[in-house]
């Protein structure tokens, strides 16, 4: 039988009533003739509670025990979903990551999926099981320990299962009814997209859109898994939600597909750094070793053999970055005049595959921001994206103005 993967996020399984509602959706797909793999998250708020218990017990915790604890929320949901389906006379059973097994690396709390052997689930499908309810977010390390995939890891679990089992589609059920041109809470004119390309979705996810985890979109693009984002709380049709698919499946795209933002950004500048080969490697190698995720990078024009180096990073990593760079200066590996940080900035981006074939998008974006009195601190571009760093107080104004200027409310 054809396989369908259905993933239900924490808000979709927050209580027994919602689990029953989700189970009914699964039952509909079983009635259509699918063998269904259901990936479930922990009930809403449960993972945060478990993380809090770990922090309270052991601030410098063993990452292996952390994974054993925080993965338990998904196990509870999987069992409850399987029981609910059984009550509906749907042959179902729950699976924990180690039972599948979903094989991962040993990087606890940030493990990456290595392989999903299909024989165990396929054997049970052959024996009459119609639904495999799999605990998302978790796997098994080479050492035989439970691992977790990082926040949002259930999305990645779902896409990985869809790829491994050659699923017809992977449906991601969440608390929104699709992917929007921007955050509807900021712009009331935001429009739900019927389709969006993998590349556009990947950029939007990496730039701050919270609908899908970035790694899940990367996997879907790599293995050509059709993704559909839907609401758990609305009536469904075959055209519901947003389909994330190959660019070729979209007849004609707007130049700009969406406006994304990231509120919690910071800007860091090293003043008067030696302008010589290898200096960028020293700086960003140091930040990488400290676990700092650098995004935008700008180097000023050299003067008298010195230059300034600016980058953006998450606000919660500023202290770690400053400590690493100051230590590097103390050790003599890097000489700079001053380290300047600005914790009050935001990143706003426009994304669209149509940019490849149409010029003037950057000029229009900069003109719109200028007209609104918004000063641009840093600019980066790619083939389908333009991002700017601005003062955080202007973030919502910038998002609304750009959404209006590119007329994203129009299909």
């Amino acid at each position: 039988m054809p396989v369908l993967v259905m993933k239900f996020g924490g808000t979709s399984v927050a209580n027994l009533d919602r689990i029953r509602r989700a189970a009914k959706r699964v039952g509909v797909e079983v009635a259509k003739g699918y063998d269904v793999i259901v990936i479930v998250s922990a009930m809403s708020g449960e993972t945060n509670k478990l993380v809090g218990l770990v922090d309270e017990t052991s601030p410098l915790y063993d990452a292996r025990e952390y994974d054993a604890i925080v993965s338990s929320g998904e196990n509870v949901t999987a069992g409850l979903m399987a029981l609910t389906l059984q009550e509906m006379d749907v042959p179902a059973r729950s699976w924990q990551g180690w039972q599948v097994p979903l094989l991962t690396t040993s990087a606890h709390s940030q493990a990456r999926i290595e392989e999903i052997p299909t024989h165990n689930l396929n054997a049970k499908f052959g024996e009459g099981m119609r639904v495999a309810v799999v605990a998302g977010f978790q796997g098994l390390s080479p050492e035989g320990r439970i691992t977790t995939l990082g926040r949002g890891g259930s999305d990645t679990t779902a896409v990985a299962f869809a790829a491994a089992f050659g699923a017809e589609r992977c449906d991601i059920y969440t608390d929104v009814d699709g992917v929007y041109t921007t955050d509807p809470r900021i712009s009331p004119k935001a429009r739900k997209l019927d389709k969006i390309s993998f590349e556009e979705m990947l950029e939007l996810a990496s730039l701050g859109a919270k609908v899908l985890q970035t790694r899940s979109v990367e996997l879907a693009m790599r293995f050509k898994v059709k993704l559909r984002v839907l609401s758990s709380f609305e009536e469904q049709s075959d055209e519901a939600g947003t389909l994330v698919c190959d660019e070729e499946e979209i007849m004609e795209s707007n130049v700009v597909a969406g406006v994304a933002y990231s509120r919690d950004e910071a800007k860091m500048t090293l003043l008067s750094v030696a302008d010589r080969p290898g200096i960028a490697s020293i700086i960003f190698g140091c930040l990488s070793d400290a676990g700092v995720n650098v995004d935008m990078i700008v180097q000023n024009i050299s003067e008298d053999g010195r230059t300034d180096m600016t980058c953006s990073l998450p606000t919660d990593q500023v202290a770690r970055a400053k400590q690493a760079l100051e230590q590097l200066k103390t050790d003599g590996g890097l000489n700079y005049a001053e380290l300047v940080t600005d914790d009050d900035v935001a990143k706003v981006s426009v994304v669209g595959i149509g940019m490849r074939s149409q010029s003037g998008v950057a000029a229009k974006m900069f003109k719109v921001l200028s007209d609104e009195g918004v000063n641009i601190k840093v600019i980066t571009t790619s083939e389908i994206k333009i991002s700017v760093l601005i003062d955080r107080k202007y973030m919502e104004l910038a998002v609304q103005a750009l959404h209006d200027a590119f007329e994203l409310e129009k299909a």
Side-chain angles (χ1 to χ4, degrees):
M1 290 186 180
V3 173
L4 184 70
V5 174
M6 304 173 73
K7 182 261 175 177
F8 294 94
T11 54
S12 304
V13 290
N15 52 48
L16 288 177
D17 283 342
R18 291 188 180 180
I19 289 173
R20 292 186 189 104
R21 182 198 294 251
K24 287 178 181 177
R25 295 197 188 282
V26 176
V28 169
E29 301 300 342
V30 171
K32 291 179 183 177
Y34 287 106
D35 281 338
V36 181
I37 300 172
V38 175
I39 310 296
V40 291
S41 297
M43 298 166 82
S44 183
E46 191 63 26
T47 301
N48 287 341
K49 185 172 84 173
L50 293 168
V51 170
L53 289 172
V54 172
D55 289 338
E56 191 176 335
T57 303
S58 175
L60 299 173
Y61 52 76
D62 180 338
R64 294 165 298 185
E65 301 305 338
Y66 171 92
D67 279 358
I69 294 164
V70 300
S71 64
S72 64
E74 280 73 15
N75 298 340
V76 172
T77 312
L80 291 171
M81 176 68 79
L83 285 173
T84 303
L85 288 163
Q86 290 170 11
E87 287 295 305
M88 295 164 51
D89 293 325
V90 176
R93 64 155 282 188
S94 64
W95 297 78
Q96 296 178 20
W98 64 269
Q99 294 174 306
V100 174
L102 189 151
L103 305 175
T104 74
T105 61
S106 300
H108 286 274
S109 80
Q110 287 294 330
R112 300 188 76 85
I113 298 171
E114 298 272 280
E115 184 185 2
I116 303 178
T118 59
H119 52 269
N120 283 345
L121 263 65
N122 280 335
K124 290 299 179 183
F125 280 131
E127 293 171 10
M129 178 184 73
R130 298 301 308 280
V131 180
V133 185
V134 179
F137 173 63
Q138 60 178 247
L140 184 70
S141 75
E143 296 78 26
R145 297 296 300 258
I146 294 169
T147 55
T148 62
L149 309 179
R151 283 305 178 99
S154 293
D155 286 349
T156 303
T157 305
V159 175
F161 269 88
F165 284 83
E168 191 172 296
R169 196 178 63 248
C170 179
D171 286 347
I172 307 287
Y173 285 87
T174 180
D175 53 0
V176 296
D177 61 346
V179 179
Y180 279 74
T181 49
T182 196
D183 189 338
R185 293 170 298 182
I186 289 182
S187 175
K189 296 180 182 178
R191 174 177 57 86
K192 185 176 74 67
L193 298 165
D194 294 326
K195 291 183 179 181
I196 188 170
S197 72
F198 288 125
E199 289 178 274
E200 289 170 328
M201 190 67 245
L202 185 58
E203 290 285 10
L204 289 172
S206 65
L207 293 167
K210 308 294 187 195
V211 180
L212 289 170
Q213 190 204 43
T214 305
R215 280 165 60 193
S216 70
V217 185
E218 288 173 348
L219 266 182
M221 184 163 66
R222 179 180 170 190
F223 292 102
K224 306 298 183 189
V225 173
K226 283 189 177 181
L227 275 177
R228 192 168 60 150
V229 180
L230 313 101
S231 170
S232 298
F233 309 112
E234 296 187 2
E235 293 300 320
Q236 303 299 338
S237 67
D238 290 339
E239 290 77 36
T242 299
L243 185 68
V244 187
C245 57
D246 266 330
E247 182 181 336
E248 289 75 20
E249 294 185 48
I250 302 173
M251 290 294 290
E252 190 165 344
S253 299
N254 289 340
V255 177
V256 172
V259 181
Y261 67 89
S262 177
R263 188 186 305 272
D264 299 321
E265 297 287 326
K267 180 168 74 80
M268 179 174 285
T269 302
L270 286 168
L271 298 176
S272 190
V273 180
D275 187 14
R276 58 178 172 80
I279 197 69
S281 174
I282 292 171
I283 294 169
F284 296 108
C286 166
L287 293 174
S288 175
D289 291 344
V292 176
N293 296 315
V294 172
D295 181 21
M296 310 165 89
I297 300 172
V298 175
Q299 182 175 351
N300 286 350
I301 296 172
S302 178
E303 185 175 342
D304 298 327
R306 313 292 290 182
T307 187
D308 300 336
M309 194 80 76
T310 298
C311 66
S312 68
L313 66 161
T315 52
D316 61 2
Q317 296 180 11
V318 169
R320 194 186 314 165
K322 289 173 71 173
Q323 182 182 36
L325 292 171
E326 287 166 358
Q327 184 64 49
L328 189 62
K329 184 178 184 180
T330 302
D331 294 342
L334 179 68
N335 182 25
Y336 57 88
E338 189 179 357
L339 177 58
V340 179
T341 60
D342 182 356
D343 298 353
D344 198 26
V345 296
K347 180 171 59 182
V348 175
S349 312
V350 296
V351 174
I353 52 177
M355 291 186 199
R356 289 180 180 145
S357 56
Q358 185 159 331
S359 60
V361 176
K364 184 173 184 176
M365 180 179 186
F366 302 153
K367 176 71 163 56
V368 169
L369 294 177
S370 173
D371 290 346
E372 296 292 343
V374 178
N375 184 47
I376 299 172
K377 297 174 178 287
V378 180
I379 303 167
T380 60
T381 66
S382 75
E383 194 178 26
I384 66 167
K385 171 201 74 179
I386 304 166
S387 294
V388 297
L389 214 58
I390 61 174
D391 286 328
R392 191 174 298 151
K393 63 183 178 181
Y394 295 122
M395 186 196 76
E396 294 193 10
L397 171 65
V399 170
Q400 289 174 336
L402 290 168
H403 194 277
D404 289 347
F406 287 104
E407 299 182 317
L408 299 187
E409 72 277 6
K410 298 179 182 177

